[in-house]
Amino acid sequence: MPTPTHTEGASGGDGHDLRHHGDAEVRDAGAELTDLAVNVRADTPPPWLRERIAASLTGLAAYPDGREARAAVAARHGLPVERVLLTAGAAEAFVLLARALKVRRPVVVHPQFTEPEAALRDAGHSVGRVLLREADGFRLDPEAVPEDADLVVVGNPTNPTSVLHPAGVLGELARPGRTLVVDEAFMDAVPDEREALAGRTDVPGLVVLRSLTKTWGLAGLRIGYVLASPGTIGELERAQPLWPVSTPALAAASACMTPGALAEAAHAAHRVAADRAHLVAGLREFESDGLRVVEPAEGPFVLVRVERGAAVRRLLRGLGFAVRRGDTFPGLDEEWIRIAVRDRVTVNRFLQALDRAVTGVGG
């Protein structure tokens, strides 16, 4: 397998807007579009979760107490509470890691969620990049990561490529003196959470990030957590402001750790897999038009390359669909588009619109 390139990510000037996220596609004038840009599961949060959150509002006069939620997360992963830190979404965790850990050579594996690199840059770090290649299916080659990197960040499954890296391959990145950050924000959308490292204590320097915003539709509430050694958790906790997670978010965290909630999430993961297969099958029909799907896709989204992608994306907006532009991810350009998995009815409507958009560009 060819070795991915490694570049030093200079601040700005490389054409990638690291602060651009999918929600920008559906703000303001895009609010009436069918949203295939944001990776939050549709029709969430479910009624039972909304009720649990609403019930917590009677306790807003008191300061948040995260002990119950922290214990629930720890029990869910079979860990002691000293290995768990609750955060205001996974995004806060990236900021804490960038500010609290003393690192000399951080490296981010791209294409992936851009917030880790943005947070590291904001904290004054010079960030190295390992760019995975389309020719390799955007799969990870551990030997491409510089040996002297003392912080490595990688997503699994990776946003936006939807590639699920084998746990064993990720484990090859671990070494004494290195912090290995694995962003598992979308792992609960993978049936049986294959290749998950959450709950593992045998991987040196491992830090796993999880988010509850994607599967449960809680992006507006901000709740996630970090799993790491007690020493790393202590460093991150000292960098947090007081009471960083609100009472309603803590209630949601506890509720999402129950056996019933985990069973519902597992069922949703299988449904997403079936809907994704339907989407991918439909996208393959456009191969003669130059469209290529990154496969196998394992997340609740699919990455495609299409000629004149920026024009296709604009035509899709005119036809009522918002998709995520790919050129803000290091390693990708304007020909790349990320598409969120939705139900079959929505997907069929989207495929019809895509046919018109591709034809319109070609014509």
Side-chain angles (χ1 to χ4, degrees), residues 316-339:
L316 284 170
R317 288 184 71 85
L319 295 168
F321 289 89
V323 294
R324 173 65 159 89
R325 59 190 285 194
D327 61 308
T328 64
F329 294 99
L332 303 182
D333 57 28
E334 287 190 342
E335 290 198 337
W336 293 95
I337 294 172
R338 192 192 70 196
I339 306 163

Side-chain angles (χ1 to χ4, degrees), residues 65-89:
D65 183 348
R67 289 176 296 177
E68 178 184 339
R70 189 177 186 183
V73 171
R76 182 255 194 271
H77 292 288
L79 296 171
V81 294
E82 293 80 10
R83 283 182 167 269
V84 175
L85 181 68
L86 302 174
T87 58

Side-chain angles (χ1 to χ4, degrees), residues 337-354:
I337 294 172
R338 192 192 70 196
I339 306 163
V341 174
R342 295 291 186 252
D343 63 273
R344 293 191 175 207
V345 172
T346 302
V347 166
N348 289 342
R349 289 175 45 237
F350 166 73
L351 292 172
Q352 292 173 351
L354 180 62

Side-chain angles (χ1 to χ4, degrees), residues 38-158:
V38 176
N39 287 327
V40 174
R41 201 179 98 214
D43 301 322
T44 52
W48 63 264
L49 183 53
R50 292 199 300 269
E51 291 170 5
R52 285 287 296 272
I53 294 169
S56 73
L57 299 181
T58 60
L60 292 186
Y63 286 98
D65 183 348
R67 289 176 296 177
E68 178 184 339
R70 189 177 186 183
V73 171
R76 182 255 194 271
H77 292 288
L79 296 171
V81 294
E82 293 80 10
R83 283 182 167 269
V84 175
L85 181 68
L86 302 174
T87 58
E92 188 205 8
F94 292 124
V95 173
L96 295 176
L97 288 164
R99 294 179 178 177
L101 300 187
K102 296 176 178 61
V103 297
R104 299 179 309 281
R105 190 172 189 193
V107 168
V108 179
V109 179
H110 286 290
Q112 79 146 8
F113 184 50
T114 54
E115 200 60 33
E117 180 172 327
L120 286 163
R121 287 187 181 185
D122 288 346
H125 296 286
S126 176
V127 184
R129 291 176 178 170
V130 170
L131 300 180
L132 306 185
R133 304 190 310 175
E134 178 190 6
D136 302 324
F138 296 108
R139 289 172 177 80
L140 176 64
D141 177 5
E143 294 185 1
V145 176
E147 189 63 30
D148 62 347
D150 56 357
L151 174 70
V152 177
V153 185
V154 60
N156 203 40
T158 304

